[in-house]
Amino acid sequence: MFSVNNRIDYIAFNLELCYIICCIIRRIVWRVFFMSQRISKETVQSIQSQVNILDIVGQFVQLRKQGKSLFGRCPFHDERTPSFTVTEEKQLFHCFSCGRGGNVFNFMQELENLSFPESVVRVAELSNIDIDVELPTTQMIIPRKEKKLYEAHEKAAEFYSHVLLNTKGGKEALDYLENRGYTVETLKEFGFGFSLKDRTQLELVLQELQLTDEEKEASGLFSENQNGFFDRFNQRIMIPLRNEHGQIIAFSGRVLPGYSDDFASQAKYLNSPETILFSKRNFLFNFDLAKKNIRKQNKVILFEGYMDVISAWQAGVQIGVASMGTSLTPDQIQTLQKVTDTILIAYDGDKAGLEATNRAIELIQGTNAFKIGIIPFDNGLDPDEFIKERGAQAFKDLVEYSQETVYQFKKRFLSKKYSLQIESQKIQYIEEMIVELSKINNEVELNLAMKSLADEFDLDFSTILNQVKQLRLRLGNQKKQSNAESVPHYRQVEIKPTTKNEHIQRQLMYRLLHNEQAWTYLNRIDSEFVFPDSHYEQLFLLLQSFKNEDNEVDVQHFFLFLDDKDVLNRNLVSEIELSNFPPECTEQEIRDLVYVLSKKNSLKEQLAIKKEELNRAALMKDDILRQQLMREIMEIQRQLRNKMNGGMVNDSSKK
């Protein structure tokens, strides 16, 4: 019995040791791979020294200053209360909700599902840093099936563009676009093309990809009949649709005016069907190009169609996106929440456009996350027509100086909805306007609007005021509840360690990360010290290995040392880094920490702590953590049994 238990202990010890060794070996293997991709350590550190994490993260997340850090909604999970923070001083990010954290490269890894070498290249691209490195990005991160579909769309776009700009078959379409005022530079920037009447050409162009019938169908580029597959688009001006990363995922084709082909005349616009690459409810045209400008200006213009976006872009207003003629969706609004808190709606000036504007306002207001403005277009014009008729400067002035408030739009919209000469409809109109008045938060704007309504219909001002107050009071509780659920609360998040024991381990690890003398103190006090919790001990061993290699500890360099797939340790370091410990380190502090941790390292103490952690994991419904903790508890219980059995054997031997 004794020998068996000891053998089990021996095996358990060696398994733990093997795990640590494997982590280090995996790190070495990764370094070989890393170097094979021709990115040197010096190159990575050089890029890191030139990049501010705020400039990178800020392109994808709307951040607000709070103390020394900036907060925003986490891009890795859905949340209403911002818990994602970026610290410029430490050049780190961390989400207090989902736990993700790390440096600027780790951010791009997580966001775009990249390998570490790919993330380095991506950060360099976003920062306009030239590096002599070529990586097969798409081969490494995109599944084979999706990769072929991306390639098919890229080749199709190249083919359509070539036809438009360089062939006789595309000349009529090119003339049409130039006559509409689009420059060749704009056509190239947005990838305009033209599909020929012959509906077999695209299949020939894509022949080298060896697409299967299943892949042809999945691409959305083809239609099928009893005779096989043929081009979905023909005799259409082609606009590539790109995802937020700039990859072409679909097309929209506008029929060339004057053609009467049965197929071409079915619809003015023909979009790709939904595919594994393309989802209309999530898609925003031009978001990939505009998001940087949107973030900088902290506003976005929402258009109905892509021609409006392109005309505005050419006119110098480069913060526009469009939902491709479909109704605005919550998914699209959520995408915009990441980069701005101001939406300007620039839908068409006709009746349908006004209706669409009203629906969009209701949907956006439901989030309580945006300031809303409306860009009005008179005489039923759409933005594209407005620019063509009145010029780029007139459009810029309209955007800058003629924005309507939501109330002003509602007044214009409802006055067309009701016949104010009929008494009953006039009353309905006034009642709806009072509802809109109750939504105005700015007191100056509210008083001016109430006075305007009173004067317009010769009403007593106090009557309108009382009705607004009553309505606000009646809806007050509902509004408070809605705000509590939806309004982003940008507040300083307190780091609250789950246990005192963890706080102490975190403090000691912080010292080892930042104070060279802490290593000297620790070796002098207890050269064989072991952290009570295995995840801290693993991190400690990795930190030791890093220190032995680089002699001194640099947190940013340590992030580069960690395996790019070692998410747990990376997240733990980022959380430790955000702890507010004083900069000074003394031997007495290290001595006290070691004493407490050594005392708490008893098996019974560990068991109590793990059981407490298991209860919290159960409340959080974290099944992975629960399984891990259950394994650790079983191991500690086994060690306790062995200790008791060993004691009994020893006692019997003494007799």
Side-chain angles (χ1 to χ4, degrees):
M1 182 70 176
F2 179 73
S3 61
V4 171
N5 285 333
N6 277 275
R7 186 175 295 174
I8 293 171
D9 286 340
Y10 178 78
I11 293 170
F13 171 79
N14 280 280
L15 284 173
E16 182 72 18
L17 183 62
C18 286
Y19 174 81
I20 301 299
I21 293 172
C22 285
C23 288
I24 295 171
I25 292 173
R26 190 171 65 174
R27 178 65 202 171
I28 295 171
V29 171
W30 176 85
R31 286 200 165 191
V32 173
F33 167 78
F34 188 83
M35 293 304 294
S36 73
Q37 300 303 309
R38 296 179 294 163
I39 303 181
S40 67
K41 178 180 176 182
E42 290 72 25
T43 299
V44 176
Q45 292 178 356
S46 173
I47 294 170
Q48 194 172 41
S49 67
Q50 297 177 64
V51 172
N52 189 329
I53 192 172
L54 294 182
D55 296 332
I56 300 299
V57 176
Q59 296 184 42
F60 305 93
V61 181
Q62 186 191 2
L63 299 169
R64 296 205 174 178
K65 187 81 171 176
Q66 183 68 42
K68 292 183 178 181
S69 300
L70 290 96
F71 285 85
R73 288 187 176 88
C74 181
F76 309 121
H77 75 285
D78 294 334
E79 63 177 5
R80 291 183 178 275
T81 300
S83 56
F84 177 88
T85 183
V86 180
T87 305
E88 186 174 20
E89 180 184 2
K90 297 180 182 291
Q91 289 293 296
L92 296 175
F93 77 93
H94 186 79
C95 177
F96 291 96
S97 180
C98 69
R100 289 181 173 90
N103 60 18
V104 65
F105 304 123
N106 304 138
F107 176 81
M108 292 310 305
Q109 278 184 274
E110 293 277 356
L111 188 70
E112 298 187 356
N113 190 29
L114 306 175
S115 69
F116 188 83
E118 289 172 318
S119 74
V120 174
V121 174
R122 183 76 171 119
V123 168
E125 289 174 351
L126 293 170
S127 305
N128 295 317
I129 299 173
D130 293 327
I131 57 172
D132 188 20
V133 173
E134 293 183 6
L135 295 175
T137 303
T138 57
Q139 294 180 7
M140 300 170 68
I141 66 172
I142 302 174
R144 184 176 180 276
K145 182 178 180 180
E146 293 183 23
K147 174 180 174 293
K148 287 187 73 174
L149 297 185
Y150 282 121
E151 288 179 348
H153 280 82
E154 288 290 341
K155 287 186 175 296
E158 291 173 5
F159 171 63
Y160 293 141
S161 178
H162 175 76
V163 170
L164 175 70
L165 299 174
N166 301 292
T167 71
K168 185 178 179 181
K171 188 176 185 311
E172 187 176 353
L174 181 61
D175 291 342
Y176 168 77
L177 290 167
E178 288 181 330
N179 288 334
R180 288 196 60 178
Y182 298 111
T183 65
V184 173
E185 290 73 24
T186 297
L187 299 179
K188 289 181 178 179
E189 186 169 16
F190 285 91
F192 275 76
F194 185 68
S195 60
L196 296 168
K197 186 175 182 179
D198 184 351
R199 299 175 68 189
T200 64
Q201 291 298 305
L202 183 62
E203 190 172 19
L204 295 175
V205 170
L206 302 181
Q207 214 168 28
E208 65 181 77
L209 295 179
Q210 297 181 342
L211 298 175
T212 64
D213 288 351
E214 181 186 2
E215 289 168 337
K216 290 177 184 177
E217 183 179 1
S219 72
L221 295 170
F222 301 94
S223 297
E224 185 181 12
N225 61 19
Q226 63 272 18
N227 298 318
F229 290 90
F230 53 92
D231 303 359
R232 179 178 296 277
F233 304 95
N234 81 317
Q235 300 179 189
R236 291 179 181 269
I237 295 168
M238 301 297 292
I239 310 292
L241 308 182
R242 304 179 303 271
N243 63 18
E244 63 178 310
H245 309 305
Q247 298 164 304
I248 299 174
I249 56 175
F251 289 93
S252 182
R254 187 199 191 282
V255 68
L256 188 62
Y259 282 108
S260 58
D261 182 90
D262 290 339
F263 181 83
S265 64
Q266 287 180 7
K268 183 178 179 180
Y269 292 96
L270 178 67
N271 297 329
S272 296
E274 295 214 350
T275 66
I276 58 174
L277 303 183
F278 179 50
S279 172
K280 293 179 182 178
R281 69 179 180 276
N282 297 320
F283 178 75
L284 284 170
F285 179 80
N286 197 47
F287 186 68
D288 61 314
L289 294 180
K291 61 185 177 184
K292 187 175 182 179
N293 295 331
I294 293 169
R295 181 187 64 84
K296 285 183 177 180
Q297 299 184 36
N298 192 26
K299 59 184 177 185
V300 61
I301 300 179
L302 191 60
F303 294 99
E304 279 191 71
Y306 55 73
M307 286 303 196
D308 298 326
V309 173
I310 296 168
S311 291
W313 186 277
Q314 185 172 280
V317 180
Q318 300 182 341
I319 53 172
V321 299
S323 55
M324 297 299 299
T326 59
S327 298
L328 189 65
T329 68
D331 299 279
Q332 293 164 338
I333 292 175
Q334 190 174 14
T335 298
L336 295 176
Q337 276 185 269
K338 297 176 181 179
V339 291
T340 186
D341 61 9
T342 302
I343 293 180
L344 306 179
I345 303 173
Y347 286 176
D348 298 355
D350 57 12
K351 184 179 179 181
L354 294 176
E355 293 281 357
T357 300
N358 190 58
R359 290 194 299 271
I361 289 171
E362 298 294 332
L363 190 61
I364 297 167
Q365 281 183 328
T367 67
N368 288 316
F370 295 95
K371 296 180 283 224
I372 305 172
I374 291 84
I375 301 173
F377 296 96
D378 54 10
N379 301 323
L381 294 177
D382 61 36
D384 180 45
E385 292 168 340
F386 183 95
I387 294 169
K388 299 289 188 298
E389 286 190 11
R390 306 185 189 183
Q393 189 57 51
F395 180 70
K396 289 180 181 178
D397 292 341
L398 182 69
V399 171
E400 188 69 27
Y401 306 114
S402 300
Q403 294 176 29
E404 289 182 332
T405 64
V406 170
Y407 177 79
Q408 289 172 323
F409 168 80
K410 288 284 187 175
K411 184 176 181 180
R412 180 164 60 92
F413 174 69
L414 292 173
S415 66
K416 295 181 179 182
K417 178 180 176 182
Y418 294 106
S419 179
L420 301 184
Q421 291 76 31
I422 302 173
E423 192 69 17
S424 60
Q425 294 198 31
K426 184 195 301 185
I427 293 172
Q428 284 183 281
Y429 168 80
I430 294 172
E431 287 176 344
E432 287 204 42
M433 291 308 302
I434 288 174
V435 171
E436 295 303 323
L437 285 169
S438 69
K439 299 176 183 178
I440 300 176
N441 295 318
N442 185 291
E443 292 300 317
V444 175
E445 181 187 353
L446 175 61
N447 278 295
L448 288 172
M450 287 192 296
K451 187 176 185 303
S452 175
L453 186 64
D455 292 343
E456 183 179 0
F457 294 98
D458 195 23
L459 299 172
D460 185 60
F461 179 85
S462 60
T463 301
I464 296 177
L465 178 61
N466 289 334
Q467 289 200 28
V468 170
K469 286 182 176 180
Q470 289 176 16
L471 187 58
R472 280 183 164 182
L473 186 63
R474 189 163 66 247
L475 300 177
N477 292 333
Q478 181 181 344
K479 187 175 181 180
K480 285 180 182 179
Q481 183 180 354
S482 175
N483 286 342
E485 294 175 353
S486 306
V487 172
H489 301 288
Y490 292 87
R491 64 179 185 273
Q492 185 66 45
V493 179
E494 292 182 23
I495 303 172
K496 297 180 180 179
T498 53
T499 66
K500 183 179 179 181
N501 191 40
E502 186 171 358
H503 177 81
I504 295 169
Q505 291 181 98
R506 184 177 294 169
Q507 184 174 347
L508 180 56
M509 186 61 68
Y510 184 88
R511 293 301 181 213
L512 295 171
L513 283 165
H514 288 277
N515 303 99
E516 179 65 28
Q517 63 267 41
W519 293 90
T520 305
Y521 299 153
L522 183 62
N523 288 327
R524 188 156 59 217
I525 295 164
D526 186 355
S527 60
E528 298 182 357
F529 171 79
V530 177
F531 279 84
D533 291 347
S534 60
H535 53 293
Y536 280 92
E537 178 63 13
Q538 291 168 15
L539 181 61
F540 176 57
L541 292 173
L542 288 169
L543 188 59
Q544 277 186 317
S545 177
F546 170 72
K547 190 175 186 304
N548 291 335
E549 183 177 310
D550 279 23
N551 294 320
E552 61 180 36
V553 175
D554 181 279
V555 176
Q556 287 294 331
H557 292 172
F558 183 51
F559 272 109
L560 301 180
F561 174 84
L562 291 173
D563 192 299
D564 66 324
K565 294 183 172 52
D566 193 356
V567 179
L568 291 176
N569 279 316
R570 191 173 74 209
N571 294 346
L572 180 58
V573 173
S574 70
E575 191 167 350
I576 292 170
E577 277 295 278
L578 294 175
S579 303
N580 295 316
F581 296 115
E584 299 80 15
C585 176
T586 65
E587 183 170 359
Q588 187 59 50
E589 178 192 9
I590 303 301
R591 189 176 296 279
D592 291 342
L593 294 172
V594 170
Y595 173 78
V596 174
L597 290 174
S598 298
K599 184 179 178 182
K600 290 195 177 277
N601 207 9
S602 70
L603 291 176
K604 288 185 178 180
E605 181 71 24
Q606 289 185 53
L607 184 61
I609 292 170
K610 294 299 178 183
K611 286 183 176 180
E612 184 183 342
E613 292 177 356
L614 181 62
N615 290 332
R616 284 195 300 272
L619 291 172
M620 296 171 63
K621 298 181 179 180
D622 190 335
D623 292 334
I624 296 176
L625 181 59
R626 285 169 65 186
Q627 293 174 11
Q628 178 187 334
L629 289 169
M630 287 175 68
R631 288 194 296 268
E632 292 178 3
I633 289 171
M634 290 173 66
E635 172 61 21
I636 295 171
Q637 289 174 332
R638 184 193 60 78
Q639 293 181 35
L640 280 170
R641 287 196 300 271
N642 290 344
K643 189 174 180 180
M644 292 177 64
N645 292 333
M648 290 174 64
V649 171
N650 289 334
D651 288 342
S652 63
S653 65
K654 288 177 182 179
K655 291 179 180 179

